[in-house]
C-alpha cells in the first residue's frame, strides 16, 4: 500500500488545471502559440496523469514504450508479452491505435476514464486510430502495464500529438532507440524533456550489432552522461526475429528490468513517486510560462482597447463640435425652419407679445403645409450624417492603428468588415435621431402645459416651439457663432432682432440645453455600441486581469502544497 499524497496537493493541482483551462491566449502576441501549447499540455497532463495518480497511488504502474518510427517498440512489447499483441511492421506508420497491455486483474484500472479520460477505449483487436486498445495477458505481472505508443516522429501530426500525450501520462518511460539512430536529434529532445520533468526512465538500445556493441554502448553511455540523463541502459543485440518476436537470450536485459519491477512493490512505488514528484515540481515553472503569456496578452489587450477609446472619444468630440459650430444650421435645416416659423405675421405677433393674439397666431405658425415634416427630415438627415461620419471615421481609425500591431492585425483579418462602422450604427442613428425629435417635442409640450415656457415660445405652437428648441441646440451651444449663422441665414421675414429675441429667450436656452444633453447622450450610446464591436473581440481573445490573478494564486498554491 502506497501512502496517499496530501489531499491539498490534489486540490491545488485541480485548481491550477481549471484556471489554466480557462485562460484565453488568442491574441497573436509573440510567444502566444508556445504558451497555448504549454497550457494545453498542462491541462492534459493534469487530467491524464497528475490528478488520477494523486488520487489513486495504488493503481498499477503504467510504463509507456516510446521512441522513433521503426525503433522496434511494438516488437519489444510483443516480445515481452510473448505474443503479438501490437502489430509491428515495415510499412509505416504502423502503430496508429496505441495498445495497452496489462494483467487481466489490472484491466479495471484502465477501462474507465480514470486516466486519459479523453482517449476512447476499445477492448480486443482492431481499434480505430486514436483509440486506446486494451489487451490483457497473464504474461504481464499484476501492477505493471505496458503501453505501446505511436511514434514520436510520426509523419501524422495527430499521431505525434497522441504520443506526446501518452508519454506525459506515464509513470515511467521505456524509451526505445536503435544502434543506427540513437544519435538523432528528435529522441534527445524527448529524453531531455523527460529528464527536466523528472520522469523515471529506462532506455533500450535496440538492434545493436555484435561487433559494434562496445563502441555503440559506450558512446550512448557517454551521451547520456553529458545530458545528465539518469536512466538504465538496456542493450538488445541485433538478432533475427523468431515468429516476429525477439528471442529469449537477446531480450534478457529488458526482461530482467521488467521482472525486477514486477517483483518489487517498493521499487514500483518509488518509480511512481519519482515521476509524480518530478511532474509536480515542474508545474510552477511550466505554468509560469503561461502566466507570463497571459500578462503579455493583458498588456496587448489594454493597448488595443486604448486605441478604441481614443478613436471613439474623438468621434464624440466630433459630434459635439458639429453641434457647437452651428454648421448643422447651414442650408436645408435653416431654410426649412424659416418656412415653418418665419412669416411676417408671426414676427409681428412675436414682437407685439400680445397674449390675446396667441390663438390667432397658432394657426399662422403651423405655417406652410408640410413644412414641419420637411424640417423634421432635414434635421434628421443632418444629424444622421454627422453621427455616422464620426462613427465611420472612428472605425477607420481603430482599424488603422490595430493594423500596426500583430495582435490587432490578426483580429481584423479574422473579422471581415470590422474597419467599417456597423450597419447597426446606421439603423441606431436613424432610430435615435427620431427618438430625440420626439423627446424634444414631448419636452416642449410638457413644459408648455406646465406653463413653464415663455409666452414667446408658446406662441409658436408645439411644432414651431419644438423645432425652435432643436435649432437652439445647434445655434446656442456655441454662443455667438450659432446665432450668427441663424442671423446670416435669415430671410427678410425674420429680422435680426426677432431672431435674437427668440434664441436669447431664457426658456429656449434652457430647453435647448436639455435637448442637447439628451442628443449627446444618444450619440454617445450609438458610438459606444459601435466601439463595443472592437472591445468584444479583444475581450473574447484575452484573459482579463481577474483570470490572471486567479492563475497566479493557483500556481502559488501548487508551489506551497508540493
Ligand atoms: N531483425 C530484427 N528486426 C526487428 C527487430 N525489432 C523490430 N524489427 C523489425 O523492424 C520493423 C519495425 O519494428 P516495429 O516493432 O514495428 O517498430 P516500431 O515502429 O517502433 O513499433 C519491423 O519490420 C520489425 O519486424 C529486431 O530486434 N530484429
Ligand atoms: Mg509500432
Amino acid at each position: 500500500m502506497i501512502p496517499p499524497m496530501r489531499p491539498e496537493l490534489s486540490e491545488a493541482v485541480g485548481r491550477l488545471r481549471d484556471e489554466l483551462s480557462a485562460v484565453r491566449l488568442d491574441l497573436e502576441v509573440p510567444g502566444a502559440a508556445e504558451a497555448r501549447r504549454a497550457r494545453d499540455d498542462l491541462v492534459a497532463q493534469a487530467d491524464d496523469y497528475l490528478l488520477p495518480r494523486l488520487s489513486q497511488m495504488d493503481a498499477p504502474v503504467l510504463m509507456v514504450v516510446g521512441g522513433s518510427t521503426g525503433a522496434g517498440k511494438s516488437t519489444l512489447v510483443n516480445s515481452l508479452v510473448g505474443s503479438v499483441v501490437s502489430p509491428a511492421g515495415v510499412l509505416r506508420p504502423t502503430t496508429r491505435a496505441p495498445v495497452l497491455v496489462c494483467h487481466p486483474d489490472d484491466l479495471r484500472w484502465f477501462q474507465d476514464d480514470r486516466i486519459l479520460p479523453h482517449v476512447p477505449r476499445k477492448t480486443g483487436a482492431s481499434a480505430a486510430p486514436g483509440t486506446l486498445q486494451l489487451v490483457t495477458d497473464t504474461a504481464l505481472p499484476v501492477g505493471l502495464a505496458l503501453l505501446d505508443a505511436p511514434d514520436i516522429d510520426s509523419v501524422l501530426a495527430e499521431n505525434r500529438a497522441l504520443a506526446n500525450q501518452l508519454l506525459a501520462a506515464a509513470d515511467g518511460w521505456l524509451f526505445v532507440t536503435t544502434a543506427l539512430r540513437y544519435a538523432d536529434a528528435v529522441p534527445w529532445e524527448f529524453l531531455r524533456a523527460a529528464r527536466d520533468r523528472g520522469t523515471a526512465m529506462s532506455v533500450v538500445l535496440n538492434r545493436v550489432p555484435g561487433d559494434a556493441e562496445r563502441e555503440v554502448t559506450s558512446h550512448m553511455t557517454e551521451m547520456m552522461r553529458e545530458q545528465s540523463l539518469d536512466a538504465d541502459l538496456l542493450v538488445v543485440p541485433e538478432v533475427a526475429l523468431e515468429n516476429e518476436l525477439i528471442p529469449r537470450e537477446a531480450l534478457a536485459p529488458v526482461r530482467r528490468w521488467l521482472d525486477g519491477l514486477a517483483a518489487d512493490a517498493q521499487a514500483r512505488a518509488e518509480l511512481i513517486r519519482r515521476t509524480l514528484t518530478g511532474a509536480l515540481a515542474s508545474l510552477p515553472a511550466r505554468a509560469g510560462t503561461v502566466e507570463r503569456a497571459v500578462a503579455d496578452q493583458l498588456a496587448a489587450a489594454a493597448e488595443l482597447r486604448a486605441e478604441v477609446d481614443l478613436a471613439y472619444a474623438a468621434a464624440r468630440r466630433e459630434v459635439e463640435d458639429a453641434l457647437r459650430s452651428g454648421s448643422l444650421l447651414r442650408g436645408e435645416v435653416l431654410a426649412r425652419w424659416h418656412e415653418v416659423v418665419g412669416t411676417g405675421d408671426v414676427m409681428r405677433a412675436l414682437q407685439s407679445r400680445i397674449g390675446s393674439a396667441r390663438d390667432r397666431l397658432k394657426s399662422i405658425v403651423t405655417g406652410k403645409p408640410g413644412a414641419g415634416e420637411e424640417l423634421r427630415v432635414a434635421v434628421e438627415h443632418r444629424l444622421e450624417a454627422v453621427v455616422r461620419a464620426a462613427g465611420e471615421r472612428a472605425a477607420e481609425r481603430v482599424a488603422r492603428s490595430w493594423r500596426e500591431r500583430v495582435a490587432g492585425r490578426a483580429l481584423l483579418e479574422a473579422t471581415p468588415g470590422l474597419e467599417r462602422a456597423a450597419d447597426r450604427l446606421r439603423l441606431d442613428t436613424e432610430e435615435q435621431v427620431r427618438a430625440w425629435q420626439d423627446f424634444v417635442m414631448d419636452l416642449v409640450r410638457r413644459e408648455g402645459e406646465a406653463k413653464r415656457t415663455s409666452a414667446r415660445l408658446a406662441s409658436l405652437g408645439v411644432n414651431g416651439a419644438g423645432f425652435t428648441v432643436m435649432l437652439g441646440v445647434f445655434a446656442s451651444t456655441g454662443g455667438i457663432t450659432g446665432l450668427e449663422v441663424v442671423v446670416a441665414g435669415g430671410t427678410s421675414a425674420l429680422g435680426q432682432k426677432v431672431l435674437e429675441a427668440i434664441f436669447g429667450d431664457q426658456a429656449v436656452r434652457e430647453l435647448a440645453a436639455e435637448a442637447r444633453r439628451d442628443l449627446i447622450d444618444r450619440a454617445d450610446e450609438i458610438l459606444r455600441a459601435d466601439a463595443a464591436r472592437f472591445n468584444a473581440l479583444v475581450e473574447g481573445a484575452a484573459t482579463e486581469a481577474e483570470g490572471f490573478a486567479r492563475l497566479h494564486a493557483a500556481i502559488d498554491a501548487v508551489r506551497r502544497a508540493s
Side-chain angles (χ1 to χ4, degrees), residues 69-72 74-75 86-95 151 207 241 244:
T69 309
S74 300
T75 304
S86 185
V90 205
L91 292 175
R92 317 243 136 64
T94 309
T95 308
D151 309 325
R207 306 187 67 167
L241 299 178
E244 296 181 49

Side-chain angles (χ1 to χ4, degrees), residues 401-412:
S401 60
W402 276 23
R403 214 167 277 126
E404 283 163 20
R405 297 161 203 276
V406 187
R409 195 156 53 236
L411 289 178
L412 285 170

Side-chain angles (χ1 to χ4, degrees), residues 181-445:
R181 309 280 307 275
Y182 70 90
D184 288 359
V186 176
W188 284 98
E189 268 169 42
F190 273 78
L191 292 170
R192 275 192 294 271
R195 174 201 65 193
D196 293 345
R197 249 188 260 168
T199 306
M201 188 166 28
S202 298
V203 177
V204 175
L205 187 55
N206 203 12
R207 306 187 67 167
V208 181
D211 55 354
E213 184 179 337
R214 275 199 35 206
E215 190 197 330
V216 171
T217 307
S218 73
H219 188 208
M220 180 68 181
T221 309
E222 177 62 15
M223 283 181 83
M224 285 169 65
R225 211 174 46 78
E226 272 170 17
Q227 303 286 339
S228 313
L229 200 71
D230 176 23
D232 298 325
L233 181 63
L234 311 169
V235 179
V236 176
E238 168 78 72
V239 284
L241 299 178
E242 292 170 7
N243 295 325
E244 296 181 49
L245 304 178
I246 302 167
R248 207 159 187 43
E249 323 77 74
L251 196 62
V254 187
R255 171 74 60 196
R256 263 199 304 280
W257 164 87
L258 184 74
D259 289 348
L261 266 185
D264 189 350
Q266 188 61 36
R268 288 200 302 275
E270 260 163 36
L271 186 139
I272 288 171
R273 267 194 191 278
R274 180 177 158 186
T275 300
L276 184 56
T277 311
L280 289 169
S282 77
L283 283 184
R286 288 158 71 206
T289 313
V290 179
E291 188 189 2
R292 278 189 297 283
V294 172
D296 289 349
Q297 299 246 325
L298 264 176
E303 280 180 21
L304 293 174
R305 278 207 196 91
E307 296 293 352
V308 177
D309 288 349
L310 223 59
Y312 281 87
R316 272 188 289 280
R317 273 197 307 278
E318 215 176 284
V319 172
E320 284 181 24
D321 287 350
L323 293 185
R324 191 173 294 136
S325 70
S327 66
L328 284 161
L329 291 170
R330 282 177 232 277
E332 192 76 348
V333 169
L334 194 55
R336 294 282 165 258
W337 183 75
H338 279 289
E339 278 177 12
V340 170
V341 177
T343 67
D345 284 349
V346 174
M347 287 313 115
R348 264 192 305 281
L350 285 171
Q351 278 167 316
S352 69
R353 297 186 199 171
I354 297 166
S356 64
R358 218 179 284 155
D359 291 341
R360 187 173 53 89
L361 277 172
K362 270 181 189 160
S363 61
I364 302 168
V365 164
T366 35
K368 195 177 139 188
E373 177 58 17
E374 280 173 35
L375 175 54
R376 198 190 60 72
V377 172
V379 166
E380 196 177 299
H381 284 173
R382 290 292 286 137
L383 275 178
E384 274 170 27
V386 166
V387 177
R388 220 152 62 203
E392 290 287 356
R393 253 190 297 279
E396 265 166 39
R397 181 172 163 176
V398 172
R400 216 173 323 115
S401 60
W402 276 23
R403 214 167 277 126
E404 283 163 20
R405 297 161 203 276
V406 187
R409 195 156 53 236
L411 289 178
L412 285 170
E413 278 163 14
T415 322
L418 194 63
E419 69 280 8
R420 306 223 36 234
D423 289 342
R424 235 193 74 194
L425 180 126
R426 213 185 48 235
L427 297 174
D428 282 357
T429 310
E430 279 171 23
E431 197 183 302
Q432 289 289 0
V433 167
R434 242 169 262 149
W436 175 70
Q437 293 188 332
D438 291 347
F439 169 83
V440 175
M441 291 299 176
D442 271 358
L443 183 67
V444 168
R445 191 175 299 122

